[in-house]
């Protein structure tokens, strides 16, 4: 909920101060790591958690890695942690 509120606040501030197209914040859910290779996911009224969500969380982090070397390092770490 906090990330959603922060996104709405930033969208409002961007629209007030920037002279560009209107910025619209779209909340795509929240995912957090809770330990022991488990994560929680929440989107409005839907929420779930567990190891499968932990794997999805790891894949999301891999997808958003900026450089190729970051991805290689992350894949190496994932294999060491999970296998």
């Amino acid at each position: 909920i906090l990330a959603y509120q922060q996104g709405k606040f930033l969208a409002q501030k961007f629209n007030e101060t920037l002279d560009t197209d209107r910025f619209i914040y779209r909340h795509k859910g929240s995912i957090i790591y809770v330990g022991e290779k488990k994560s929680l996911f929440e989107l409005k009224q839907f929420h779930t958690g567990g190891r499968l969500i932990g794997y999805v969380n790891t894949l999301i982090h891999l997808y958003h890695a900026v450089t190729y070397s970051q991805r290689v390092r992350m894949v190496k770490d994932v294999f060491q942690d999970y296998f």
Side-chain angles (χ1 to χ4, degrees), residues 2-58:
L2 180 62
Y4 175 77
Q5 292 170 338
Q6 290 173 334
K8 295 290 274 188
F9 174 78
L10 283 175
Q12 179 185 8
K13 291 298 176 189
F14 288 157
N15 290 329
E16 290 173 359
T17 58
L18 299 177
D19 189 31
T20 61
D21 292 337
R22 184 167 155 74
F23 180 86
I24 300 171
Y25 173 75
R26 292 183 182 89
H27 186 64
K28 296 179 181 178
S30 301
I31 190 165
I32 60 166
Y33 177 75
V34 292
E36 297 184 13
K37 303 175 189 164
K38 296 179 183 176
S39 293
L40 298 173
F41 174 74
E42 178 184 64
L43 177 61
K44 295 188 181 179
Q45 299 298 324
F46 175 76
H47 61 274
T48 187
R51 281 191 186 253
L52 179 61
I53 302 303
Y55 297 137
V56 170
N57 191 10
T58 300

